[in-house]
Amino acid sequence: MQDDRNIVIVGGGFAGTTLARRLERLAIPGHRVVLVSEESYTTFHPMLAEVVGAAVFPEHVVAPIRQMLHASRFVMGRVAAVDWQRRTVVATTLAGRQEIAFAQLVLAFGSRANLELVPGLAEHALPLKLIGDAMFIRNRILQRVARIELESDPLLRRRLGHFVVIGGGFSGVEVAGQLADFLRGVRRYYGRVAGDELRVTLLEGAGRLLLEMPPALAGAALASLEARGVDVRLGARAAQVHGDGVRLADGAWLDSATVVCTIGTKPNPLVERLDVALERGRIVTAADLSIPGRPGAWALGDCALIGNGVAADDPGGVPPRDALAPPTAQFAVAEANALALNVAAQIAGRPTRAFRHVSKGAMATTGHLKGVAELFGVRLTGLPAWLLWRAYYLLQMPTLGRKVRIWVEWTWAMFFAADITHLRFTRTHEADAPDAAAIAALAAAPLRP
Ligand SMILES: Cc1cc2nc3c(=O)[nH]c(=O)nc-3n(C[C@H](O)[C@H](O)[C@H](O)COP(=O)(O)OP(=O)(O)OC[C@H]3O[C@@H](n4cnc5c(N)ncnc54)[C@H](O)[C@@H]3O)c2cc1C
């Protein structure tokens, strides 16, 4: 098959992998799918909070892209540029710079975490966007609790034991709930740490949590968090983050050595190099998800600004705010399903269709075995919502073997204590290396008679 018959997808997240699988099923004659992504796996972001709380293992929230695809080619590499004249993408791979020709190009490379929204965030807060972030936060929590055991200064103990989460959206609510449960679960292994020395505060600038959900469910989430001892502060904005605490916009001060940031995204730096129309750093698409002025090019997911339910004959431009598709996993998947049909239609010379999706609802966990959900208008709280959430993500996992393994491990984890292993990635030569600080202390110690 000629390379210039490639349908190249940039980005192996929710949007890119769903699209590739859908295109495989459509089996467009004479074309093959090439998925280029910088990691070898796709991350189920909505479950990252559960990795933070050690409710699931990190491998349970990622899926290897090669196992998700069957007839497509996967290239692990970071796309650095698109040459629209020669119709190639330029990628940096393990084997150096590679050029991949395309007949159709789909951009699905998501967004990045924004640590510039509040002064001090970048220096002192812990973002939650990647699987590495979640593992780092989990380790940091265990490190803090272990350190409290060894400290006698009450102020330092208070700072070390106070965990502040910024943002009362889905991930903030989930992280706060998971943190509270995790801290309660691990405390019994740290005999010198009292229960009231471990606290979680959730800061939300708006007047309520989960703005994406109906007020009744947001209220249920608030009650569930408060029942777990989380101090939820509504209408509270972080104005400055320091290494030892957070200053709020109203002047109040929170002593805290650990701040988790779940707010804000910024554009992937690749968008600036594409020479396409942007709005707030996102690629402006036509109603059918094509990129105006770039024949055979499309965009979807978090990197794109997409109208939902815009008329097919719309002259283009930026849709009004209330007609925009939100940057969520559910919409990324719906866009991918619609786009696969449009790519096939365009290749076959048939008319394409405008994207339209009615939200099926939303779900969020508020800690171990607790959650809130609204699905097709039906509202659930507590364990049923949590089970629904887990079932949904289990179904997304590729291969039967992986599904069964994860289901068994999740069921096991429902009844037993969370894992408190603080894994340090120390390698043999580091473990065997002389401890520089210990040697310096030895050298400085006075000689004994
Ligand atoms: C902590 C957290 C919790 C969330 N919770 C929810 C939730 O509960 N419900 C919900 O609906 N949504 C949730 N979201 C949002 C949801 O995850 C995103 O909307 C969704 O992942 C968007 O899919 P995407 O494919 O556009 O981008 P992503 O899933 O981010 O995928 C982008 C992919 O592109 C790759 N990539 C980036 N740059 C390049 C490059 N230059 N070259 C090659 N590859 C590249 C990345 O490695 C990544 O694999 C959450 C997000 C986060 C961070």
Side-chain angles (χ1 to χ4, degrees):
M1 193 179 294
Q2 281 178 284
D3 279 355
D4 61 1
R5 298 289 83 201
N6 287 338
I7 302 170
V8 173
I9 303 169
V10 180
F14 276 98
T17 53
T18 307
L19 176 65
R21 294 205 283 182
R22 193 71 204 263
L23 285 170
E24 283 185 354
R25 286 206 293 278
L26 292 175
I28 303 170
H31 286 70
R32 90 167 151 191
V33 176
V34 181
L35 176 60
V36 190
S37 198
E38 56 191 351
E39 299 291 354
S40 63
Y41 52 81
T42 192
T43 303
F44 290 77
H45 294 117
M47 291 205 66
L48 285 179
E50 308 207 26
V51 176
V52 170
V56 299
F57 291 119
E59 310 89 284
H60 294 174
V61 304
V62 294
I65 294 176
R66 286 179 196 277
Q67 278 189 345
M68 300 177 90
L69 306 180
H70 302 291
S72 310
R73 183 176 168 220
F74 173 62
V75 177
M76 187 173 146
R78 174 178 283 193
V79 170
V82 175
D83 185 334
W84 296 106
Q85 247 80 52
R86 297 175 53 228
R87 294 186 79 75
T88 56
V89 296
V90 182
T92 315
T93 69
L94 292 173
R97 184 179 182 276
Q98 304 242 322
E99 287 193 13
I100 305 163
F102 64 83
Q104 304 277 326
L105 176 65
V106 184
L107 303 173
F109 47 74
S111 60
R112 299 276 199 236
N114 187 356
L115 292 175
E116 284 135 38
L117 291 177
V118 177
L121 267 190
E123 296 83 2
H124 304 295
L126 306 175
L128 181 63
K129 175 81 179 165
L130 307 175
I131 185 76
D133 294 332
M135 290 161 70
F136 186 88
I137 297 171
R138 194 197 108 147
N139 274 348
R140 178 57 66 86
I141 297 162
L142 291 168
Q143 210 179 38
R144 293 290 191 237
V145 184
R147 170 100 186 264
I148 298 173
E149 271 227 323
L150 303 170
E151 294 292 346
S152 50
D153 175 358
L155 175 64
L156 187 53
R157 287 176 75 99
R158 194 170 73 219
R159 276 188 190 140
L160 289 167
H162 190 192
F163 299 84
V164 174
V165 179
I166 302 180
F170 286 109
S171 29
V173 164
E174 288 166 358
V175 169
Q178 286 291 338
L179 250 171
D181 283 354
F182 186 42
L183 290 170
R184 189 172 332 105
V186 303
R187 201 190 59 77
R188 64 183 153 125
Y189 302 105
Y190 297 82
R192 292 192 64 246
V193 180
D196 60 2
E197 284 188 298
L198 300 176
R199 294 172 300 134
V200 179
T201 298
L202 175 62
L203 302 178
E204 167 54 50
R208 73 168 173 99
L209 299 174
L210 298 172
L211 289 173
E212 308 83 347
M213 280 196 154
L217 283 182
L222 173 67
S224 175
L225 289 178
E226 287 183 336
R228 298 167 124 72
V230 178
D231 177 10
V232 181
R233 308 240 181 140
L234 300 175
R237 273 178 197 285
Q240 175 116 35
V241 180
H242 299 263
D244 57 351
V246 181
R247 176 73 62 199
L248 302 185
D250 65 5
W253 171 257
L254 299 176
D255 274 321
S256 170
T258 315
V259 178
V260 180
C261 169
T262 67
I263 52 168
T265 55
K266 68 177 181 187
N268 185 313
L270 177 58
V271 284
E272 299 294 343
R273 301 194 290 272
L274 289 178
D275 193 18
V276 294
L278 301 177
E279 174 71 23
R280 280 173 272 142
R282 293 166 73 188
I283 303 165
V284 179
T285 66
D288 63 357
L289 307 178
S290 60
I291 303 178
R294 297 290 181 197
W298 316 79
L300 78 165
D302 283 9
C303 70
L305 193 85
I306 294 168
N308 184 17
V310 176
D313 56 359
D314 187 87
V318 181
R321 203 172 260 264
D322 59 354
L324 288 177
T328 64
Q330 183 190 148
F331 271 79
V333 168
E335 288 154 16
N337 287 326
L339 180 50
L341 297 175
N342 279 348
V343 170
Q346 194 185 77
I347 290 172
R350 297 192 307 269
T352 56
R353 289 196 178 168
F355 171 72
R356 183 183 302 273
H357 177 70
V358 179
S359 173
K360 294 185 177 72
M363 299 185 265
T365 59
T366 53
H368 190 49
L369 307 181
K370 293 273 186 295
V372 290
E374 186 188 51
L375 209 64
F376 301 111
V378 179
R379 292 180 187 175
L380 298 172
T381 56
L383 183 63
W386 185 88
L387 286 172
L388 185 71
W389 162 271
R390 282 287 178 101
Y392 174 77
Y393 284 101
L394 194 60
L395 287 176
Q396 308 295 314
M397 289 290 161
T399 78
L400 182 64
R402 198 175 175 83
K403 279 191 182 73
V404 172
R405 204 188 88 200
I406 292 178
W407 178 75
V408 170
E409 287 176 9
W410 282 0
T411 310
W412 176 272
M414 278 172 71
F415 302 105
F416 295 96
D419 188 351
I420 59 160
T421 318
H422 171 192
L423 268 190
R424 294 207 296 160
F425 300 97
T426 314
R427 298 178 61 218
T428 298
H429 67 272
E430 291 157 8
D432 291 342
D435 183 335
I439 289 177
L442 269 184
L447 284 175
R448 290 173 197 267

